[in-house]
Every structure is written in structure tokens, then in C-alpha cells.
């Protein structure tokens, strides 16, 4: 087991390194000059532009730039953002709490509500409730998040004034403690619902079909024949129906740090997604690489954790 | 194999009952969060606070670090740092008469190249230390250092020296007599506190703790920045011109225009800069009884810029557009008024020459030439461009009159107008090929001169001397390589005119219009929205919230947060 874990961890590190090199190269292949807007308001001479290129190392050979980036990365220094003129590490980490909060809430809703409804549907297959939930889940799955976000922000936030349509907290709220927590929670409701609707619908569909499959196996019949209670039988089946959902969880896990560009934008949620999107638009190479490393790292970590979970939960999966 | 068939719905199991209780709990929690009781009651503090929804975030609101054109940084810096003086309501930048005193209570002209400023003895920094002449000297030393702030150093290139005479008098010396000496001294940079910054090397200022909590001399002091969300300022009780009635200012970030509008309409913000497109949003805001819409002149100018050089070989003139008559014909074939009305509604107008609505020299100029298809056709015919093969596109020596127009996808205004221009030019046999691209790619193409026609948009300072950057032979932003020595001499003459420079600048605009290096498509008024409980509201075109310290707060239209 230990050797398997070590080998799998090493594989993940190699994958991360390859991903970094590819990201770095792709980013520099993109057309567009990161310094093109620096002189917008106050024009610069060619010499001054050259001095800025020297300052950010943009004129050095690509391999040299990559090397200095890797050296910096090893020392925890991701460089300085061209657009914000501030260290990238600080910029990325100050956006992380908001991203984790939204991503974590969506994951939680997705894998509690989604799993519960999926199991419920499977147990009540072909009942009116199953048919209704199927229709609803298909509708949810087909609903574009950007449309849903715009509608919710306007209807709930502006028209009915039930919840704030944008932002993460009320800047005028002087109270701390529970009032501050409740304030953030109020701002979280709409973006979390917007992102969750599609993901819950997907999880429901997966869980329903996996549960139906599991309930058809002979060991369920055996369990019933042994006189186990209905709850015990369902628990038995559900554990086996979790494997496909585990893969889905692995795919969704990176949302914890990647954020969602559109939902963050519509609800002015101060997450990493919008920061990374702005970095792409601005060709802010250091900031873009900082955000990309975090997301790539999370994707690879999620894959690793999913494999480990498989190995731990399913004795048929061998550590070799 | 025997298959078990799931049973139809049965009575709820204990687990299902628990789940129902949990989800009912979640529902109740959401309802509780949406209830009015979840929202703190309207307080006096909230009533005297001003929340403005902005599209960007101030990360380095320090005067000498404002390179790169971040509006958010400038807006915040203008509240934190007082300048020596400020532009008066006429926005006339030439001469000494149109300015209002601020940190400097007065100024005197010693000779044609020397100005002396007397600092107001009541002025202090937010930490209580007095503002001294040494602070001004220190700031301009940094601002004029190309290694620290290259763009600023360019703007201040005509200032030879800044020296202190005692603790309260500062003397500026200039390279030559010119009309905007006072403007250069007061507009571009506000003094910084030397006692806090002199020990920090200029190149490390951006990383110093000072940037995270700047100390200034302005009507508001720094409170906090919540990354990605907002910047909070509080009224400076000791501001030497009187403490502002608006006690707290919050610049709240929402990049998306729809999110800013939602914040405003939901009562989560008191104001927003430039109500986002489409124009129907202005009507939505106007319909809200708590809000008022205020049109404000903008520095934005949109124009079709003709490349004077061949985009494939920059050493050769452009095969089509180096001909002035072709350029003029294109301008005459466009119904600019129609386009402006269709795309910008009442907010836009057609400028005469490169003069946006903030530029004082636009007053007294004639109206832009209207569409004249007959004259456009005549000009093209006279230059040998005729449609021999009847395909609707003119040719000359076998070469069709086809031009590519680069336009960034980030600008809906330019995209719409480009499509209309394409259609209108078709009527005179000019084929315009739209080349839409990502903004950064557009900038790269534009700066490399790789275009026939560029749908450009610029934001100009209130000073007309900035025209030299785009329209003189050696201008730093002259990407089309337009060069008319007559324009250069007219600009030089206008810059040197010390009083009554209007006619000199009009001559510049006239010459540019006649030579048609571009078709000036639109300039516009920004539509700001402000909550009606604020009175004495004056939004300044050069920096919208600069006059905030003079606003007052009334009871009308109190903020109604979500849940109320």
C-alpha cells in the first residue's frame, strides 16, 4: 500500500510538472502583449517600454523565463502581477477564502441533496415522484448557469429584494460575530443556488442510475432473503452505488479553488475565477500562472484522492 | 437470475423523515436569511455613508504609482490626496485663471517660466503632521524620475526644478513659457508625505506597507481594503477645508455592468459610474424614485483611424489611405449622427476633430460635416476609383477598394458602429472587412500598425496638449504614423499660447478635420446615477467623485437594503 501511494504521488507530481510546462508555453504562444495597456493613459517612449520589459523579464528567452519561474515557485515566489503591481502569491491567497466558501458550499449541496434525491428516485422508481424529479433534474441540467444567475439576481435581489443580488458582504455592516456570518450567508445563497442547480441535477442522474444498478445485484436479493431490514438493504446497495459518484466527486472537487468565472462575475463574488479570467484578458503572465498552478494542482490532487478512495473502498482494486 | 424490482413509494422511513427535517431546516434558514429581520436597521452611519459601485478595484492608490490607467486607483487617490489646486468648472487648462486653490492657498507668477505656490498652513497629513514645501519637492522629485513613474515623467518634462523656500513656499521653474504651466503643477500628481516615504526606496514603494494603508492629506482617510470587494474610506475630521458631510465612502467592486446595476437598483449601492449599456438601462434607473441620473462629459473619443503607412511595409505609404481625398470620401459617406443616435441615444454626439466632451476647446467649433454621398462619390471618381466590373466595389488599376477595419470584441459600441459603417460604405463602393478580435490582440495589432483602419477609442486628459501624442509626427501614440508638419506647428503654437489659447487650438482641430487622418465618430456623456438623499451633488468630469467633500446628506431616498 505504501509503495503504491508513493508511486501514485510521484506520478501526480510528474503530471503537475508537465501541466505547468504546457501551461507556460501555451500562455506565451497566445497573441497579445501584457504591457500593451501600461502606456494607455500616460504614453511611454520606446526606451521606457524596453525598461519595463527588462523589469518583468519579458525579453528573456522562453526557457530562461520558465527556469526563473520554476526557481521562484520552489521558493514560494510566483512573481509580481503586471496589472496589479503586487506579489502574485498575496493576490491569489487573498481571493482563496471566498472561492473555497462558494466552492465548498456547492460541493456540499451537490453531494448531499444530489445523492439523497438520486437514491430516493431509485427507491421509488417509476413513481410520480420519480417522474417529477427526473423532469426537474433534466430541466436543471439543461439550464445555463449564466441565464439562471441573471434571472435570480434580478428577480430575488432587485425585484423582490429578498436577498442581496451581488457582493459577498454588506460593507456598511459594522457588527461582527454571528451578524457578520449571517450577512455572508445571505450573500452566498444566490450564487450557491445558481451553481448548485446544474451540479445537483447531474449528481441525481448519476446516483439514480447507479443505485438502480446496485439494487439489481443478487447480493441484494440475498440480503433480503436473510431478513435484513429495508434500511439495511438500501445501505448495502448504496455503498456499492457510490463508486461512479466518487468519480463525479473527483471531477467536481477542483471547483473548490477554480471558482466559476461567470457566476462570480454576475454576483460580484470576489473569487479566484474572476481574477484568473481578468489575468487571461490582460495577459498578466505571472498572475495567470499563479492561478493556473493552483487549479492544475487541485485537479491532480482530486484525481489522486479519487484513486486512493477507490483503493480504500473497493477491495477489488489492487495496489499495483 | 432473479431481479428485485423496486417497490413503489412506501410510508417514509425514519431516515427519510430525518432528511425531511434537515431539508425543512435548510429551507427555514434560507427564509430567515431573506427576512427583513436579517438586515440591520437603517442607521445614521449608513445614511451618511456613500457606496459607489465601480468596475475595478483600487490596489495601489498612490499618486506616483498610478501608471497603467486604473480609474479605480485614481478615484481613491483623489479622495486620499489633495492636489495643490484643482481645475475649475470650465475645465480650462490653459492660463492661470480657471483653477481653484486647494493645498496651495495661492500662487504668483514671478516671470514667464516661474510659478511660486504658498501652501495653506492649515493643511495636515492624516497622521497630524503638517504638509510642507519639502513634501512637494520630494513628490515631484519622484514623479519626474523616469525610473519610478515613466509616464508621469513624460507629462512633467517641461518642469525644470521644484524647490522649497522655507516651509510653506514652493517654486516651480519651467523649460519655456507655455499655457499649461499651472495645470502641469497641479493636475498630474498630488503631494506625498516625505516624512513617511523618504526612507523607502522609490522602486520598493509598490511593496511597502504604506501602499496597504496610505496616509494622505485629502478629505478622506484610509480605513481598509477587503480584497476583491471594496475599499473603505472615512471622513478626515481635521481636513483643513472642513470635514465632509458624507462620513464614509465605500468603493464597491463589481466588474460586470449588470451586477453594478443590480446593486444600484436593489439599494446596495448609492451610485454607479456610467450606467452600463444598453441605453434602456438609463430609463430603468430614471424610473427609480430614489435615484437621479446625471449626465457628465466624458473624456472618451471614438474614431476610425486611417493608417498612413502600408501595413506590410511600414516604410511605404499606404496604397489607398495615404490619399487625402479617399479618406475624406469615406468620412462623407458615413451618417455619423444616425449611428450615434442608434447606438448611444441621447448620450452621444459627433465631435468636430479629436475633441471629446471634456475638452474645453470643443466650445466654439463648427458642427462636424454631415453625410454627403454625392461628394463622396465625386471624390472617389476623381481619384480614379470606379466600379468597372459592376460588382459594387470600386477598383483602380485592378485593385479593389477593400479595407480591413480592426475592432476589439470588448467594445459593443464600436462593434455596432463598425457594422453600420460597413453597410453605409457599401453604398459608395467601398468594401470594409471587419476584423474583430480579443482586446489584447487588437492592441498588439494596433501598436504594430498592422491595420488599414482602426476603430480606435481613447480617453484624453482635460488638456488639449495631449493631442500632440496622437496627431503630431513624433507623437508617442501616433500608431497610424500620421504626419503633417502644419499640424505640428499649430499644436506647438497653441501650447505656447499663454492666455486665450482657444482660437489657436481651434486652428489645430480645423487642420486635422481638413486633412482627415481619421473620421471622428463619437464622443459621449457618461450617465451617472446617484441616490437622491445626497444633495449639492456635483460630479466632476476629470474625476467624478472629487467634489464629494462638498456634498450634503438629506433624508430623501434613504438606502433600502435587501430584505426591507
Amino acid at each position: 500500500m505504501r509503495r503504491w501511494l508513493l508511486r501514485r504521488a510521484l506520478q501526480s507530481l510528474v503530471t503537475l510538472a508537465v501541466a505547468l510546462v504546457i501551461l507556460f508555453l501555451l500562455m506565451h504562444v497566445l497573441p497579445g502583449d501584457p504591457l500593451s495597456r501600461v502606456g494607455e493613459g500616460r504614453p511611454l517612449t520606446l526606451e521606457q517600454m524596453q525598461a519595463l520589459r527588462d523589469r518583468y523579464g519579458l525579453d528573456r528567452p522562453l526557457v530562461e523565463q520558465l527556469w526563473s519561474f520554476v526557481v521562484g515557485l520552489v521558493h514560494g515566489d510566483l512573481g509580481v502581477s503586471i496589472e496589479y503591481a503586487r506579489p502574485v502569491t498575496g493576490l491569489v491567497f487573498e481571493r482563496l477564502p471566498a472561492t473555497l466558501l462558494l466552492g465548498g458550499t456547492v460541493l456540499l449541496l451537490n453531494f448531499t441533496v444530489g445523492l439523497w434525491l438520486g437514491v430516493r428516485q431509485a427507491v421509488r422508481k417509476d413513481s410520480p415522484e420519480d417522474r417529477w424529479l427526473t423532469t426537474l433534474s433534466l430541466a436543471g441540467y439543461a439550464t445555463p448557469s449564466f441565464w439562471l444567475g441573471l434571472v435570480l439576481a434580478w428577480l430575488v435581489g432587485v425585484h423582490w429584494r429578498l436577498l442581496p443580488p451581488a457582493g459577498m458582504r454588506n460593507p456598511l455592516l459594522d457588527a461582527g460575530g454571528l451578524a457578520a456570518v449571517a450577512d455572508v450567508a445571505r450573500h452566498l445563497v444566490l450564487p450557491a443556488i445558481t451553481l448548485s442547480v446544474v451540479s445537483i441535477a447531474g449528481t441525481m442522474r448519476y446516483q439514480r442510475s447507479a443505485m438502480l444498478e446496485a439494487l439489481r445485484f443478487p447480493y441484494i436479493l440475498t440480503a433480503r432473503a436473510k431478513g435484513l431490514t429495508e434500511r439495511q438493504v438500501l445501505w448495502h446497495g448504496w455503498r456499492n452505488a457510490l463508486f461512479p459518484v466518487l468519480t463525479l466527486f473527483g471531477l467536481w472537487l477542483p471547483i473548490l479553488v477554480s471558482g466559476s468565472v461567470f457566476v462570480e462575475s454576475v454576483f460580484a463574488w470576489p473569487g479566484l475565477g474572476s481574477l484568473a479570467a481578468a489575468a487571461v484578458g490582460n495577459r498578466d503572465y505571472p498572475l495567470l500562472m499563479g492561478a493556473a498552478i493552483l487549479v492544475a494542482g487541485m485537479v491532480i490532487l482530486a484525481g489522486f484522492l479519487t484513486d486512493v478512495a477507490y483503493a480504500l473502498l473497493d477491495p477489488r482494486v489492487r495496489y499495483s | 437470475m432473479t431481479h428485485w424490482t423496486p417497490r413503489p413509494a412506501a410510508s417514509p422511513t425514519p431516515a427519510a423523515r430525518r432528511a425531511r427535517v434537515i431539508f425543512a431546516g435548510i429551507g427555514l434558514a434560507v427564509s430567515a436569511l431573506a427576512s427583513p429581520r436579517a438586515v440591520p436597521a437603517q442607521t445614521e452611519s449608513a445614511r451618511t455613508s456613500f457606496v459607489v459601485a465601480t468596475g475595478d478595484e483600487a490596489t495601489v492608490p498612490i499618486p506616483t504609482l498610478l501608471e497603467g490607467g486604473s480609474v479605480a486607483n485614481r478615484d481613491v487617490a483623489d479622495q486620499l490626496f489633495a492636489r495643490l489646486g484643482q481645475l475649475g468648472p470650465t475645465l480650462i487648462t490653459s492660463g492661470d485663471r480657471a483653477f481653484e486653490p486647494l493645498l496651495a492657498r495661492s500662487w504668483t507668477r514671478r516671470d514667464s517660466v516661474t510659478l511660486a505656490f504658498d501652501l495653506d498652513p492649515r493643511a495636515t497629513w492624516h497622521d497630524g503632521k503638517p504638509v510642507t514645501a519639502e513634501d512637494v519637492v520630494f513628490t515631484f522629485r519622484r514623479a519626474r524620475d523616469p525610473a519610478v513613474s515613466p509616464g508621469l515623467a513624460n507629462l512633467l518634462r517641461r518642469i525644470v526644478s521644484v524647490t522649497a523656500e522655507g516651509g510653506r513656499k514652493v517654486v516651480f521653474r519651467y523649460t519655456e513659457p507655455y499655457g499649461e504651466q499651472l495645470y502641469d503643477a497641479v493636475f498630474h500628481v498630488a503631494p506625498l508625505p516625505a516624512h513617511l516615504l523618504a526612507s523607502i526606496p522609490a522602486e520598493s514603494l509598490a511593496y511597502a506597507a504604506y501602499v496597504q494603508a496610505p496616509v494622505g492629506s485629502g478629505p478622506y482617510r484610509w480605513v481598509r481594503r477587503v480584497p476583491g470587494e471594496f475599499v473603505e474610506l472615512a471622513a478626515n475630521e481635521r481636513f483643513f477645508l472642513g470635514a465632509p458631510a458624507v462620513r464614509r465612502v465605500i468603493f464597491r467592486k463589481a466588474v460586470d455592468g449588470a451586477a453594478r446595476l443590480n446593486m444600484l437598483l436593489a439599494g446596495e449601492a448609492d451610485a454607479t459610474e456610467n450606467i452600463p449599456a444598453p441605453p434602456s438601462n438609463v430609463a430603468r434607473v430614471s424610473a427609480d424614485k430614489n435615484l437621479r441620473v446625471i449626465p457628465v462629459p466624458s473624456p472618451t473619443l471614438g474614431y476610425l483611424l486611417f493608417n498612413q503607412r502600408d501595413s506590410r511595409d511600414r516604410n511605404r505609404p499606404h496604397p489607398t489611405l495615404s490619399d487625402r481625398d479617399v479618406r475624406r470620401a469615406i468620412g462623407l459617406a458615413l451618417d455619423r449622427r444616425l449611428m450615434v443616435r442608434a447606438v448611444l441615444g441621447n448620450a452621444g454626439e459627433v465631435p468636430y476633430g479629436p475633441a471629446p466632451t471634456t475638452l474645453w476647446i470643443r466650445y466654439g467649433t463648427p458642427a462636424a460635416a454631415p453625410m454627403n454621398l454625392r461628394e463622396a462619390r465625386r471624390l472617389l471618381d476623381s481619384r480614379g476609383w470606379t466600379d468597372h466590373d459592376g460588382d459594387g466595389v470600386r477598383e483602380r488599376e485592378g485593385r479593389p477598394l477593400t479595407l480591413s477595419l480592426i475592432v476589439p470584441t470588448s467594445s459593443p459600441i464600436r462593434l455596432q458602429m463598425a457594422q453600420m459603417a460597413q453597410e453605409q460604405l457599401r453604398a459608395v463602393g467601398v468594401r470594409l472587412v471587419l476584423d474583430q478580435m480579443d482586446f489584447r490582440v487588437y492592441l498588439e495589432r494596433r501598436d504594430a500598425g498592422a491595420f488599414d483602419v482602426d476603430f480606435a477609442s481613447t480617453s484624453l486628459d482635460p488638456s488639449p496638449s495631449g493631442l500632440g501624442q496622437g496627431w503630431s509626427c513624433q507623437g508617442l501614440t501616433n500608431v497610424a504614423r500620421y504626419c503633417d508638419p502644419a499640424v505640428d506647428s499649430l499644436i506647438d503654437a497653441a501650447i505656447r499660447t499663454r492666455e486665450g489659447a482657444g482660437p489657436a487650438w481651434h486652428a489645430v482641430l480645423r487642420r486635422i478635420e481638413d486633412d482627415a487622418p481619421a473620421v471622428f465618430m463619437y464622443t459621449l456623456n457618461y450617465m451617472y446615477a446617484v441616490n437622491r438623499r445626497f444633495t449639492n451633488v456635483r460630479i466632476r468630469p476629470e474625476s467624478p467623485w472629487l467634489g464629494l467633500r462638498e456634498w450634503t446628506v438629506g433624508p430623501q431616498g434613504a438606502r433600502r437594503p435587501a430584505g426591507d
Side-chain angles (χ1 to χ4, degrees):
Chain A
M1 172 73 172
R2 191 176 296 170
R3 280 186 62 193
W4 179 85
L5 272 178
L6 193 67
R7 202 171 60 240
R8 189 65 188 79
L10 278 175
Q11 275 176 357
S12 298
L13 280 178
V14 172
T15 313
L16 181 63
V18 172
L20 285 188
V21 173
I22 292 174
L23 280 169
F24 188 88
L25 294 177
L26 279 179
M27 197 179 60
H28 283 79
V29 167
L30 271 178
D33 181 356
L35 295 180
S36 53
R37 269 185 68 193
V38 170
E40 279 283 283
R42 294 169 175 169
L44 302 180
T45 61
L46 287 175
E47 294 75 27
Q48 288 165 339
M49 282 299 275
Q50 189 54 44
L52 281 176
R53 282 188 198 289
D54 288 345
R55 187 192 289 178
Y56 290 107
L58 296 171
D59 270 359
R60 283 150 53 195
L62 211 54
V63 176
E64 208 178 301
Q65 289 185 48
L66 177 60
W67 177 247
S68 61
F69 170 74
V70 171
V71 170
L73 180 64
V74 170
H75 291 93
D77 176 12
L78 294 172
V80 174
S81 156
I82 297 170
E83 191 69 14
Y84 295 94
R86 290 186 52 219
V88 168
T89 322
L91 280 169
V92 168
F93 279 99
E94 67 190 21
R95 294 294 189 95
L96 210 47
T99 311
L100 286 173
L101 178 63
L102 180 58
T105 308
V106 170
L107 270 188
L108 188 72
L109 285 174
N110 185 0
F111 287 93
T112 50
V113 179
L115 291 188
W116 177 65
L117 289 175
V119 170
R120 203 177 161 83
Q121 275 188 282
V123 172
R124 290 163 170 75
K125 184 173 176 284
D126 294 334
S127 69
E129 182 180 347
D130 177 37
R131 282 196 292 274
W132 268 109
L133 284 173
T134 299
T135 310
L136 281 178
S137 64
L138 285 175
Y141 203 64
T143 305
S145 307
F146 69 89
W147 178 84
L148 184 65
L150 286 171
V151 170
L152 282 179
W154 179 79
L155 201 65
V156 182
V158 178
H159 192 67
W160 292 334
R161 296 200 177 202
L162 292 174
L163 290 163
M168 184 175 156
R169 76 194 80 210
N170 178 0
L172 297 176
L173 185 69
D174 294 321
L178 268 182
V181 172
D183 180 49
V184 173
R186 293 177 69 244
H187 285 81
L188 179 63
V189 174
L190 292 183
I193 287 177
T194 305
L195 272 178
S196 299
V197 163
V198 176
S199 64
I200 286 175
T203 306
M204 273 169 72
R205 303 298 299 160
Y206 265 83
Q207 182 63 93
R208 179 184 182 274
S209 91
M211 191 69 183
L212 280 175
E213 190 68 29
L215 291 176
R216 288 196 183 99
F217 279 108
Y219 65 83
I220 292 291
L221 192 66
T222 309
R224 286 184 193 285
K226 282 165 66 181
L228 296 183
T229 63
E230 188 62 22
R231 190 176 162 196
Q232 285 171 318
V233 170
L234 288 179
W235 174 253
H236 214 49
W238 185 60
R239 285 186 62 195
N240 287 289
L242 266 182
F243 289 106
V245 182
L246 199 61
T247 310
L248 195 65
F249 183 76
L251 293 174
W252 271 98
L253 199 58
I255 199 180
L256 269 179
V257 294
S258 66
S260 159
V261 174
F262 186 79
V263 170
E264 285 181 12
S265 178
V266 166
F267 293 104
W269 190 263
L272 260 178
S274 48
L275 187 72
V280 174
N282 295 327
R283 305 291 190 272
D284 190 343
Y285 295 157
L287 183 55
L288 189 52
M289 278 310 286
I293 285 167
L294 202 65
V295 176
M298 196 63 191
V299 170
I300 289 163
L301 181 69
F304 174 70
L305 291 178
T306 310
D307 285 355
V308 172
Y310 260 118
L312 289 175
L313 292 175
D314 190 344
R316 291 169 301 181
V317 177
R318 298 180 176 214
Y319 305 128
S320 61
Chain B
M1 184 184 285
T2 309
H3 291 282
W4 176 73
T5 308
R7 287 176 304 173
S11 59
T13 61
R17 276 197 294 273
R18 271 200 300 276
R20 280 181 187 175
V21 170
I22 290 169
F23 286 106
I26 293 174
L28 277 175
V30 172
S31 311
L33 290 172
S35 79
R37 285 182 192 173
V39 184
Q42 175 82 24
T43 61
E44 177 61 15
S45 160
R47 196 181 66 83
T48 56
S49 297
F50 176 66
V51 180
V52 55
T54 69
D56 201 359
E57 179 184 8
T59 49
V60 279
I62 314 296
T64 52
L65 296 178
L66 297 180
E67 301 289 338
S70 162
V71 175
N73 278 330
R74 288 177 198 198
D75 284 351
V76 173
D78 280 340
Q79 303 302 329
L80 293 172
F81 297 89
R83 294 178 167 113
L84 290 175
Q86 65 183 16
L87 275 171
T90 60
L91 297 182
I92 294 176
T93 55
S94 183
D96 301 350
R97 282 181 289 198
F99 290 82
E100 296 167 352
L102 211 57
L103 272 187
R105 64 179 172 183
S106 64
W107 43 82
T108 49
R109 184 165 285 288
R110 290 186 176 168
D111 55 48
S112 63
V113 290
T114 313
L115 266 173
F117 292 84
D118 280 310
L119 299 184
D120 195 313
R122 298 168 298 169
T124 57
W125 297 104
H126 296 155
D127 62 5
K129 299 275 195 312
V131 176
T132 66
E134 198 45 52
D135 293 319
V136 183
V137 172
F138 164 79
T139 304
F140 274 85
R141 194 186 308 131
R142 289 235 164 142
R144 289 166 54 230
D145 182 351
V148 179
S149 35
L152 203 48
N154 275 344
L155 291 171
L156 301 175
R157 65 189 179 283
R158 291 194 184 89
I159 296 176
V160 177
S161 67
V162 181
T163 50
E165 286 182 1
R168 302 271 177 225
K169 191 179 283 290
V170 195
V171 180
F172 282 70
R173 285 187 63 77
Y174 299 86
T175 53
E176 60 193 322
Y178 65 98
E180 294 187 336
Q181 288 177 346
L182 181 53
Y183 172 78
D184 279 350
V186 305
F187 184 78
H188 301 300
V189 63
L192 289 164
H195 68 282
L196 295 174
L197 298 178
S199 60
I200 301 173
E203 62 276 12
S204 4
L205 179 58
Y207 315 108
Y210 177 84
V211 173
Q212 298 307 315
V215 173
S217 57
Y220 289 90
R221 62 181 170 75
W222 183 267
V223 175
R224 62 175 169 158
R225 181 175 79 87
V226 179
E229 293 185 67
F230 59 85
V231 164
E232 181 178 344
L233 311 178
N236 174 12
E237 301 295 337
R238 292 180 297 198
F239 187 59
F240 66 103
L241 295 174
V246 176
R247 314 298 297 158
R248 179 159 57 161
V249 180
I250 286 162
F251 291 92
R252 199 171 181 191
K253 180 187 174 186
V255 177
D256 186 58
R260 289 198 296 277
L261 192 65
N262 284 343
M263 275 185 183
L264 184 76
L265 293 172
E268 296 268 319
D270 296 309
T272 190
E273 56 196 18
N274 197 20
I275 297 167
S280 59
N281 279 337
V282 175
R284 283 179 69 195
V285 174
S286 303
D288 189 315
K289 64 179 175 20
N290 290 330
L291 299 169
R292 88 180 68 157
V293 175
I294 304 171
V296 180
S298 91
T300 301
L301 178 80
Y303 51 98
L304 297 176
L305 177 66
F306 299 124
N307 202 344
Q308 305 289 322
R309 314 301 299 176
D310 189 336
S311 58
R312 283 173 290 277
D313 179 359
R314 300 287 280 156
N315 294 316
R316 292 193 326 200
H318 193 282
T320 310
L321 295 171
S322 53
D323 185 336
R324 186 184 76 153
D325 284 346
V326 173
R327 302 196 300 262
R328 292 179 68 178
I330 291 173
L332 289 168
L334 296 173
D335 189 344
R336 289 176 280 171
R337 284 179 184 80
L338 177 77
M339 285 193 246
V340 165
R341 204 163 48 247
V343 178
L344 298 168
N346 293 329
E349 55 187 270
V350 179
Y352 180 82
T357 48
T358 43
L359 219 52
W360 59 274
I361 61 170
R362 66 191 285 270
Y363 297 105
T365 56
M371 181 174 75
N372 187 339
L373 287 178
R374 183 182 296 177
E375 178 64 6
R377 289 190 181 109
R378 190 193 67 74
L379 282 169
L380 290 172
D381 289 343
S382 71
R383 302 307 294 169
W385 291 99
T386 46
D387 184 8
H388 296 292
D389 54 12
D391 66 348
V393 180
R394 291 169 184 264
E395 305 92 26
R396 191 172 73 177
E397 295 164 4
R399 196 160 46 84
L401 186 42
T402 300
L403 298 166
S404 76
L405 171 68
I406 59 167
V407 56
T409 48
S410 56
S411 169
I413 293 176
R414 281 184 273 173
L415 281 174
Q416 284 183 61
M417 282 196 182
Q419 284 162 1
M420 295 172 83
Q422 184 184 42
E423 199 54 41
Q424 291 181 5
L425 287 179
R426 200 195 306 266
V428 290
V430 178
R431 183 163 171 259
L432 195 64
V433 179
L434 302 192
D435 205 352
Q436 306 176 23
M437 59 196 77
D438 168 78
F439 184 57
R440 287 282 164 166
V441 180
Y442 160 80
L443 290 179
E444 198 173 49
R445 287 272 301 272
R446 183 199 69 179
D447 292 347
F451 61 89
D452 291 327
V453 187
D454 165 25
F455 204 144
S457 170
T458 54
S459 280
L460 297 170
D461 274 352
S463 158
S465 59
L467 295 181
Q469 300 291 357
W471 307 103
S472 69
C473 297
Q474 300 301 321
L476 292 175
T477 59
N478 184 358
V479 290
R481 302 254 189 106
Y482 169 66
C483 186
D484 177 0
V487 169
D488 283 19
S489 0
L490 286 170
I491 289 177
D492 281 346
I495 287 174
R496 290 208 170 84
T497 306
R498 288 177 52 197
E499 292 293 340
W505 283 111
H506 290 161
V508 173
L509 296 181
R510 211 161 34 241
R511 177 73 192 189
I512 292 176
E513 273 283 338
D514 288 347
D515 210 20
V519 183
F520 300 98
M521 300 293 287
Y522 67 89
T523 178
L524 57 137
N525 285 313
Y526 287 152
M527 295 294 178
Y528 282 72
V530 178
N531 192 295
R532 286 184 186 277
R533 80 171 184 281
F534 296 98
T535 46
N536 197 29
V537 171
R538 198 175 94 183
I539 295 182
R540 302 180 60 108
E542 78 277 26
S543 175
W545 316 114
L546 196 60
L548 197 59
R549 68 183 172 86
E550 291 162 350
W551 293 18
T552 47
V553 190
Q556 258 188 321
R559 182 184 290 104
R560 292 184 299 140
D564 261 10

